[in-house]
């Protein structure tokens, strides 16, 4: 069932929203979804986690260790000087069930072109979009397009305190050292029914995208 649904998502993107950005890569209308029609096929083991870490949020397909997320379609990540010609920073919301400190963020980001780096940002919520930046991690040496199943990982041993029942955001952005970054935040391959609030920043501030189905794959851990 999961395979059929994901295949349908990819087919819809390819058939209805053709906008070629790079050989082998197709953008949706508006550029917020990137699909890859061919890839490296390289397997990269997922990260190990610190002993005792608690899962605060995860939509990673841990029951399927050779397919932790969808290989070939996701939310576009681009810096303002990327080959796409526009900025696109996606963000996904999560809500912790209890007070805890975030010590690790794993995001299913694949590199496509430009600088091989992204920033993984933890934001507070501001009326349904990312608000104050609480912590930013630089991630480099990303897995290549359509590979499996590498993650961009940010860690902080001390941790960043967050409050249970309060929404927060994980965003994937570019910075001054990676203004030409073009990457893809891959969709998950688990829950394709429950919407995850999403937002995007195209250079004029954060705006809501409503609920993403499927959402981009990520996990937040803490102690």
């Amino acid at each position: 069932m999961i395979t059929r649904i994901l295949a349908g998502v990819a087919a819809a993107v390819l058939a209805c929203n053709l906008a070629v950005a790079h050989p082998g890569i197709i953008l949706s209308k508006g550029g917020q979804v990137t699909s890859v029609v061919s890839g490296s096929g390289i397997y990269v083991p997922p990260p190990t986690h610190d002993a005792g870490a608690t899962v605060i949020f995860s939509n990673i397909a841990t029951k399927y260790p050779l397919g932790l997320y969808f290989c070939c379609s996701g939310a576009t990540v681009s810096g303002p000087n990327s080959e796409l010609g526009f900025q696109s920073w996606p963000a996904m919301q999560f809500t912790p069930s209890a007070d805890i400190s975030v010590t690790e963020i794993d995001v299913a980001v694949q590199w496509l072109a430009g600088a091989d780096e992204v920033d993984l940002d933890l934001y507070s919520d501001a009326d349904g979009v990312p608000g104050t930046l609480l912590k930013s991690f630089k991630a480099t040496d990303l897995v290549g397009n359509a590979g499996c199943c590498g993650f961009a990982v940010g860690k902080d041993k001390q941790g960043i305190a967050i409050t249970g029942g309060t929404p927060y955001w994980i965003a994937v952005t570019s910075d001054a050292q990676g203004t030409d970054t073009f990457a893809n935040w891959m969709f998950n391959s688990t829950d394709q029914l429950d919407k995850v609030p999403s937002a995007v920043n195209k250079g004029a501030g954060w705006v809501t995208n409503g609920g993403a189905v499927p959402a981009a794959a990520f996990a937040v851990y803490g102690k």
Side-chain angles (χ1 to χ4, degrees), residues 189-207:
S189 52
T190 50
D191 187 349
Q192 297 173 49
L193 297 176
D194 298 317
K195 294 181 179 180
V196 174
S198 64
V200 66
N201 187 330
K202 289 196 167 184
W206 293 102
V207 295

Side-chain angles (χ1 to χ4, degrees), residues 129-144:
V129 297
T132 301
L133 178 62
L134 303 177
K135 181 70 177 181
S136 183
F137 303 90
K138 184 182 293 295
T140 60
D141 299 324
L142 308 177
V143 66

Side-chain angles (χ1 to χ4, degrees), residues 38-45 66 69 71 110 142-150:
S38 62
S40 65
I42 296 173
Y43 177 75
V44 178
L66 298 182
Y69 51 76
C71 68
Q110 296 188 351
L142 308 177
V143 66
N145 63 290
C148 180
C149 290

Side-chain angles (χ1 to χ4, degrees), residues 50-149:
D50 295 336
T54 296
V55 178
I56 300 172
F57 174 91
S58 178
N59 62 9
I60 296 169
T62 52
K63 291 184 179 179
Y64 310 98
L66 298 182
L68 299 178
Y69 51 76
F70 187 38
C71 68
C72 304
S73 190
T76 302
V77 181
S78 64
N81 296 318
S82 77
E83 63 184 53
L84 302 185
F86 59 85
Q87 173 184 302
S88 185
W89 295 349
M92 296 286 161
Q93 189 189 84
F94 73 98
T95 301
S97 60
D99 294 356
I100 196 169
S101 291
V102 174
T103 57
E104 180 178 343
I105 300 169
D106 295 359
V107 182
V109 178
Q110 296 188 351
W111 174 83
L112 297 175
D116 182 7
E117 65 177 53
V118 294
D119 286 354
L120 312 179
D121 299 332
L122 173 64
Y123 282 89
S124 65
D125 179 79
D127 297 323
V129 297
T132 301
L133 178 62
L134 303 177
K135 181 70 177 181
S136 183
F137 303 90
K138 184 182 293 295
T140 60
D141 299 324
L142 308 177
V143 66
N145 63 290
C148 180
C149 290

